[in-house]
Amino acid sequence: MGSYDDRMAWVILVLVLLAAAFGVLGAVIKAAAFLVLTILLAVAALVAIAWYSFKGQLRRWERNGIGGDTQVRTWSTRRSEPPRDLPSHDDRY
């Protein structure tokens, strides 16, 4: 008995021959190309997002110093402000 790869090659060959016999080989090739290109584009986009995110984090570490920043960073102003003193418990209830 052949290996798994040999059997898969035969299965793919039989499927291609069946598609050709029924006249849908062009559609099968287009669908396969669409799937492969979609997967490659999604992987490339994820790699690009991760790369630019990593570069941005490195720039942030270089700007602030890796030693650690004790100030709170806000989303709106992007300026640092000292940490707030929060109450020990909530008296509203």
Side-chain angles (χ1 to χ4, degrees):
M1 194 102 190
S3 70
Y4 178 76
D5 293 335
D6 293 338
R7 285 183 277 161
M8 282 305 298
W10 281 108
V11 169
I12 291 172
L13 178 64
V14 168
L15 289 175
V16 167
L17 290 175
L18 280 173
F22 286 109
V24 293
L25 184 59
V28 169
I29 290 174
K30 286 179 186 177
F34 176 77
L35 288 174
V36 168
L37 291 175
T38 301
I39 291 170
L40 288 176
L41 183 63
V43 168
L46 288 174
V47 167
I49 290 169
W51 174 252
Y52 285 114
S53 173
F54 180 69
K55 281 177 56 174
Q57 185 65 41
L58 283 178
R59 272 191 242 108
R60 209 169 297 123
W61 284 340
E62 288 173 352
R63 186 173 53 238
N64 293 337
I66 299 178
D69 195 8
T70 59
Q71 296 178 337
V72 174
R73 179 171 296 279
T74 61
W75 286 96
S76 59
T77 60
R78 294 208 177 254
R79 280 186 268 154
S80 297
E81 59 188 35
R84 297 176 294 161
D85 290 331
L86 298 175
S88 59
H89 70 279
D90 193 359
D91 288 332
R92 290 180 294 176
Y93 300 107

PDB file of all heavy atoms in Angstrom, residues 47-60:
ATOM      1  N   VAL A  47       0.106  39.298   8.707  1.00  0.00           N
ATOM      2  CA  VAL A  47       1.542  39.493   8.927  1.00  0.00           C
ATOM      3  C   VAL A  47       1.873  40.983   8.918  1.00  0.00           C
ATOM      4  O   VAL A  47       2.646  41.461   9.760  1.00  0.00           O
ATOM      5  CB  VAL A  47       2.360  38.720   7.870  1.00  0.00           C
ATOM      6  CG1 VAL A  47       3.810  39.150   7.871  1.00  0.00           C
ATOM      7  CG2 VAL A  47       2.253  37.226   8.123  1.00  0.00           C
ATOM      8  N   ALA A  48       1.283  41.738   7.986  1.00  0.00           N
ATOM      9  CA  ALA A  48       1.546  43.179   7.922  1.00  0.00           C
ATOM     10  C   ALA A  48       1.048  43.884   9.178  1.00  0.00           C
ATOM     11  O   ALA A  48       1.740  44.745   9.740  1.00  0.00           O
ATOM     12  CB  ALA A  48       0.894  43.772   6.675  1.00  0.00           C
ATOM     13  N   ILE A  49      -0.144  43.535   9.633  1.00  0.00           N
ATOM     14  CA  ILE A  49      -0.685  44.147  10.852  1.00  0.00           C
ATOM     15  C   ILE A  49       0.210  43.833  12.052  1.00  0.00           C
ATOM     16  O   ILE A  49       0.525  44.716  12.854  1.00  0.00           O
ATOM     17  CB  ILE A  49      -2.127  43.673  11.090  1.00  0.00           C
ATOM     18  CG1 ILE A  49      -3.052  44.278  10.040  1.00  0.00           C
ATOM     19  CG2 ILE A  49      -2.599  44.028  12.491  1.00  0.00           C
ATOM     20  CD1 ILE A  49      -4.440  43.680  10.033  1.00  0.00           C
ATOM     21  N   ALA A  50       0.629  42.586  12.176  1.00  0.00           N
ATOM     22  CA  ALA A  50       1.494  42.207  13.296  1.00  0.00           C
ATOM     23  C   ALA A  50       2.840  42.923  13.211  1.00  0.00           C
ATOM     24  O   ALA A  50       3.370  43.383  14.228  1.00  0.00           O
ATOM     25  CB  ALA A  50       1.698  40.691  13.306  1.00  0.00           C
ATOM     26  N   TRP A  51       3.388  43.046  12.013  1.00  0.00           N
ATOM     27  CA  TRP A  51       4.691  43.688  11.840  1.00  0.00           C
ATOM     28  C   TRP A  51       4.618  45.164  12.228  1.00  0.00           C
ATOM     29  O   TRP A  51       5.455  45.654  12.980  1.00  0.00           O
ATOM     30  CB  TRP A  51       5.158  43.527  10.398  1.00  0.00           C
ATOM     31  CG  TRP A  51       6.418  44.266  10.105  1.00  0.00           C
ATOM     32  CD1 TRP A  51       6.563  45.394   9.359  1.00  0.00           C
ATOM     33  CD2 TRP A  51       7.740  43.936  10.571  1.00  0.00           C
ATOM     34  NE1 TRP A  51       7.869  45.783   9.333  1.00  0.00           N
ATOM     35  CE2 TRP A  51       8.611  44.913  10.062  1.00  0.00           C
ATOM     36  CE3 TRP A  51       8.234  42.925  11.362  1.00  0.00           C
ATOM     37  CZ2 TRP A  51       9.975  44.879  10.335  1.00  0.00           C
ATOM     38  CZ3 TRP A  51       9.600  42.900  11.624  1.00  0.00           C
ATOM     39  CH2 TRP A  51      10.440  43.870  11.112  1.00  0.00           C
ATOM     40  N   TYR A  52       3.614  45.897  11.715  1.00  0.00           N
ATOM     41  CA  TYR A  52       3.521  47.314  12.041  1.00  0.00           C
ATOM     42  C   TYR A  52       3.161  47.540  13.505  1.00  0.00           C
ATOM     43  O   TYR A  52       3.600  48.505  14.111  1.00  0.00           O
ATOM     44  CB  TYR A  52       2.529  48.008  11.112  1.00  0.00           C
ATOM     45  CG  TYR A  52       3.119  48.215   9.733  1.00  0.00           C
ATOM     46  CD1 TYR A  52       2.606  47.558   8.629  1.00  0.00           C
ATOM     47  CD2 TYR A  52       4.211  49.043   9.552  1.00  0.00           C
ATOM     48  CE1 TYR A  52       3.157  47.724   7.374  1.00  0.00           C
ATOM     49  CE2 TYR A  52       4.774  49.218   8.312  1.00  0.00           C
ATOM     50  CZ  TYR A  52       4.244  48.558   7.219  1.00  0.00           C
ATOM     51  OH  TYR A  52       4.803  48.718   5.992  1.00  0.00           O
ATOM     52  N   SER A  53       2.402  46.654  14.086  1.00  0.00           N
ATOM     53  CA  SER A  53       2.098  46.750  15.510  1.00  0.00           C
ATOM     54  C   SER A  53       3.361  46.546  16.342  1.00  0.00           C
ATOM     55  O   SER A  53       3.606  47.277  17.306  1.00  0.00           O
ATOM     56  CB  SER A  53       1.039  45.718  15.874  1.00  0.00           C
ATOM     57  OG  SER A  53       0.840  45.685  17.247  1.00  0.00           O
ATOM     58  N   PHE A  54       4.164  45.567  15.950  1.00  0.00           N
ATOM     59  CA  PHE A  54       5.412  45.296  16.664  1.00  0.00           C
ATOM     60  C   PHE A  54       6.373  46.475  16.533  1.00  0.00           C
ATOM     61  O   PHE A  54       7.005  46.882  17.502  1.00  0.00           O
ATOM     62  CB  PHE A  54       6.049  44.015  16.118  1.00  0.00           C
ATOM     63  CG  PHE A  54       7.332  43.640  16.782  1.00  0.00           C
ATOM     64  CD1 PHE A  54       7.344  43.201  18.091  1.00  0.00           C
ATOM     65  CD2 PHE A  54       8.533  43.728  16.106  1.00  0.00           C
ATOM     66  CE1 PHE A  54       8.529  42.860  18.721  1.00  0.00           C
ATOM     67  CE2 PHE A  54       9.720  43.389  16.712  1.00  0.00           C
ATOM     68  CZ  PHE A  54       9.725  42.954  18.020  1.00  0.00           C
ATOM     69  N   LYS A  55       6.468  47.043  15.321  1.00  0.00           N
ATOM     70  CA  LYS A  55       7.348  48.196  15.130  1.00  0.00           C
ATOM     71  C   LYS A  55       6.880  49.388  15.953  1.00  0.00           C
ATOM     72  O   LYS A  55       7.692  50.114  16.531  1.00  0.00           O
ATOM     73  CB  LYS A  55       7.406  48.577  13.643  1.00  0.00           C
ATOM     74  CG  LYS A  55       8.322  47.682  12.847  1.00  0.00           C
ATOM     75  CD  LYS A  55       8.307  48.023  11.369  1.00  0.00           C
ATOM     76  CE  LYS A  55       8.654  49.445  11.100  1.00  0.00           C
ATOM     77  NZ  LYS A  55       8.789  49.750   9.666  1.00  0.00           N
ATOM     78  N   GLY A  56       5.553  49.588  16.019  1.00  0.00           N
ATOM     79  CA  GLY A  56       5.025  50.682  16.824  1.00  0.00           C
ATOM     80  C   GLY A  56       5.317  50.500  18.299  1.00  0.00           C
ATOM     81  O   GLY A  56       5.636  51.454  19.006  1.00  0.00           O
ATOM     82  N   GLN A  57       5.212  49.258  18.762  1.00  0.00           N
ATOM     83  CA  GLN A  57       5.517  48.990  20.168  1.00  0.00           C
ATOM     84  C   GLN A  57       7.005  49.226  20.448  1.00  0.00           C
ATOM     85  O   GLN A  57       7.354  49.791  21.490  1.00  0.00           O
ATOM     86  CB  GLN A  57       5.140  47.550  20.516  1.00  0.00           C
ATOM     87  CG  GLN A  57       5.312  47.214  21.975  1.00  0.00           C
ATOM     88  CD  GLN A  57       4.369  48.005  22.861  1.00  0.00           C
ATOM     89  OE1 GLN A  57       3.213  48.193  22.529  1.00  0.00           O
ATOM     90  NE2 GLN A  57       4.855  48.477  23.986  1.00  0.00           N
ATOM     91  N   LEU A  58       7.870  48.826  19.528  1.00  0.00           N
ATOM     92  CA  LEU A  58       9.296  49.083  19.717  1.00  0.00           C
ATOM     93  C   LEU A  58       9.587  50.579  19.784  1.00  0.00           C
ATOM     94  O   LEU A  58      10.368  51.033  20.620  1.00  0.00           O
ATOM     95  CB  LEU A  58      10.103  48.447  18.583  1.00  0.00           C
ATOM     96  CG  LEU A  58      10.322  46.949  18.658  1.00  0.00           C
ATOM     97  CD1 LEU A  58      11.106  46.469  17.438  1.00  0.00           C
ATOM     98  CD2 LEU A  58      11.058  46.569  19.917  1.00  0.00           C
ATOM     99  N   ARG A  59       8.952  51.350  18.891  1.00  0.00           N
ATOM    100  CA  ARG A  59       9.147  52.805  18.918  1.00  0.00           C
ATOM    101  C   ARG A  59       8.663  53.395  20.234  1.00  0.00           C
ATOM    102  O   ARG A  59       9.287  54.287  20.796  1.00  0.00           O
ATOM    103  CB  ARG A  59       8.401  53.458  17.751  1.00  0.00           C
ATOM    104  CG  ARG A  59       9.230  53.522  16.504  1.00  0.00           C
ATOM    105  CD  ARG A  59       8.571  54.397  15.454  1.00  0.00           C
ATOM    106  NE  ARG A  59       8.293  53.544  14.305  1.00  0.00           N
ATOM    107  CZ  ARG A  59       7.098  53.129  13.940  1.00  0.00           C
ATOM    108  NH1 ARG A  59       6.038  53.515  14.609  1.00  0.00           N
ATOM    109  NH2 ARG A  59       6.931  52.351  12.912  1.00  0.00           N
ATOM    110  N   ARG A  60       7.529  52.880  20.737  1.00  0.00           N
ATOM    111  CA  ARG A  60       6.999  53.365  22.007  1.00  0.00           C
ATOM    112  C   ARG A  60       7.970  53.061  23.146  1.00  0.00           C
ATOM    113  O   ARG A  60       8.201  53.892  24.018  1.00  0.00           O
ATOM    114  CB  ARG A  60       5.640  52.714  22.263  1.00  0.00           C
ATOM    115  CG  ARG A  60       4.715  53.538  23.074  1.00  0.00           C
ATOM    116  CD  ARG A  60       3.300  52.979  23.090  1.00  0.00           C
ATOM    117  NE  ARG A  60       2.715  52.971  21.752  1.00  0.00           N
ATOM    118  CZ  ARG A  60       2.237  51.883  21.146  1.00  0.00           C
ATOM    119  NH1 ARG A  60       2.256  50.725  21.741  1.00  0.00           N
ATOM    120  NH2 ARG A  60       1.733  51.957  19.934  1.00  0.00           N
TER     121      ARG A  60
END
